[in-house]
Amino acid sequence: MVATKNILTLPGDGIGPEVMGEVRRVMAWMEQAGVVSFEIEEDLIGGCSIDAYGEPLRSETIEKAKRADAVLLGAVGGPKWDDVDFEIRPEAGLLAIRKELGLFANLRPAIVFDALADASSLKHEVVSGLDILIVRELTGGIYFGEPRGVEDMPGGGKRGFNTLLYTTPEVDRIARVGFELALKRDKRLCSIDKANVLESTRMWREEVVRVARDYPDVDLSHMLVDNAAMQLVRAPKQFDVIVTTNMFGDILSDAASMATGSLGMLPSASLGALDAEGNRNALYEPVHGTAPDIAGQGKANPLAMLLSLAMMLRYSFDMGEDADRLEKAVENVLNSGLRTGDIMSDVGKLVGTVDMGDAVIAELSRM
Ligand code: IPM
Ligand code: MG
């Protein structure tokens, strides 16, 4: 008897349901192959939840997410909800599930598959063989700091404000995630901040230096975020693991994605703290958004979502071999020349979402 894993799927908006469809088919294949058994519940988040219930994330959905062994999420948002109240916009649902589940550690690997080195907007030699990991703090910083808001000024006009706030425990725990992951890789950690301007990130740097004493085998460096943005497109291979704040991580991970050929290739894992039994809340989602321009047309690239499933197998279920196999299947499919529109270059055969899913499943069956 294989163990049953309880999964909550939240397909969301735009291309979310389409890419989630391919994940569901791969999960069904895994069950058939006798690898694992999934108990899957599905619910709404984002715009579709606003349409159905008037809010982007219901408290009962949060409870389901807490009870699940892992959550798989597609994407949220779209122009349809541009005019809803700021408090109930689709993105508020995503931020709320991250916060409510305590998912403070967001792992965003940027790996260049050999077959895609030419699909990048950067030169082949700059990106080929790239394998970096961005560790983004996900439940603090300017995304959540108080006070925040927009106020009318006495003489007319408005003032809008947000607060970039970090505490010692928040920096400590995300820094440790960065150091631990670096230990399993090339043992290099670069902490990215804006310590020359922002006091809170100066303190971030000091705390990271303090934590580094517990990790003498890791080579720690620091970089200012503007320089880091430049270095990521100039020479991304200089990095191994990057650890950074919520907002800097948001921006730098989109930049890093272009090295891989497309935002459609980047998976992510968002992890909470381990409890006494060694369990933790976890959510897996592609870094790409809802791509409203191609939603519903069967054109979306499902690979970032499938690679997010691989991260779930690895980080939530200790199924490293199965994760490797799925990643290898994706690589083989890319080597065979199949491409969705976002990763299409001169070579390759253009296929849609379902064809890409079919090809990955066929490859898994062959392996
Ligand atoms: C991401 C996204 C989200 C973020 C948005 C949709 C709220 O850009 O996951 O990178 O800013 O965190
Ligand atoms: Mg983003």
Side-chain angles (χ1 to χ4, degrees), residues 98 108 136 143 249-251 253-254 263 287:
R98 290 172 177 171
R108 298 189 160 186
R136 169 189 177 192
Y143 272 52
D250 177 45
I251 297 166
S253 57
D254 269 30
L263 198 50
V287 173

Side-chain angles (χ1 to χ4, degrees), residues 48-234:
C48 56
S49 176
I50 298 174
D51 290 347
Y53 305 112
E55 51 178 327
L57 181 67
R58 292 176 306 152
S59 53
E60 54 188 281
T61 310
I62 296 172
E63 290 315 311
K64 281 184 202 168
K66 285 182 180 164
R67 279 198 304 272
D69 295 321
V71 180
L72 284 165
L73 191 144
V76 300
K80 181 177 177 197
W81 303 281
D82 275 353
D83 296 327
V84 303
D85 274 357
F86 187 72
E87 282 69 37
I88 62 149
R89 71 201 185 284
E91 291 78 6
L94 181 58
L95 297 175
I97 198 166
R98 290 172 177 171
K99 190 73 173 176
E100 290 287 334
L101 268 60
L103 307 172
F104 69 94
N106 183 215
L107 279 43
R108 298 189 160 186
I111 294 170
V112 173
F113 289 96
D114 282 343
L116 291 187
D118 288 317
S120 172
S121 51
L122 302 178
K123 287 201 197 80
H124 184 104
E125 62 269 25
V126 173
V127 301
S128 76
L130 179 77
D131 177 355
I132 63 178
L133 176 60
I134 298 179
V135 179
R136 169 189 177 192
E137 199 289 326
L138 202 60
T139 52
I142 199 164
Y143 272 52
F144 294 95
E146 301 278 350
R148 62 188 298 159
V150 179
E151 287 173 357
D152 290 324
M153 290 198 300
K158 295 176 194 289
R159 61 188 285 269
F161 50 98
N162 290 89
T163 304
L164 172 51
L165 189 147
Y166 274 112
T167 62
T168 294
E170 284 176 312
V171 183
D172 188 282
R173 64 182 183 176
I174 193 69
R176 285 181 196 280
V177 171
F179 281 108
E180 293 289 341
L181 288 165
L183 275 179
K184 295 186 187 145
R185 298 170 44 106
D186 200 34
K187 300 189 173 54
R188 291 181 296 122
L189 179 67
C190 182
S191 170
I192 292 172
D193 59 42
K194 188 70 183 174
N196 56 344
V197 177
L198 304 171
E199 286 85 348
S200 49
T201 73
R202 207 183 148 80
M203 165 265 180
W204 168 287
R205 186 180 291 210
E206 286 164 8
E207 295 299 330
V208 173
V209 168
R210 185 183 47 74
V211 174
R213 290 191 215 121
D214 293 342
Y215 297 90
D217 294 335
V218 176
D219 176 13
L220 172 68
S221 60
H222 305 275
M223 201 179 275
L224 298 172
V225 64
D226 49 350
N227 184 26
M230 187 268 277
Q231 296 298 339
L232 269 174
V233 290
R234 190 190 73 90

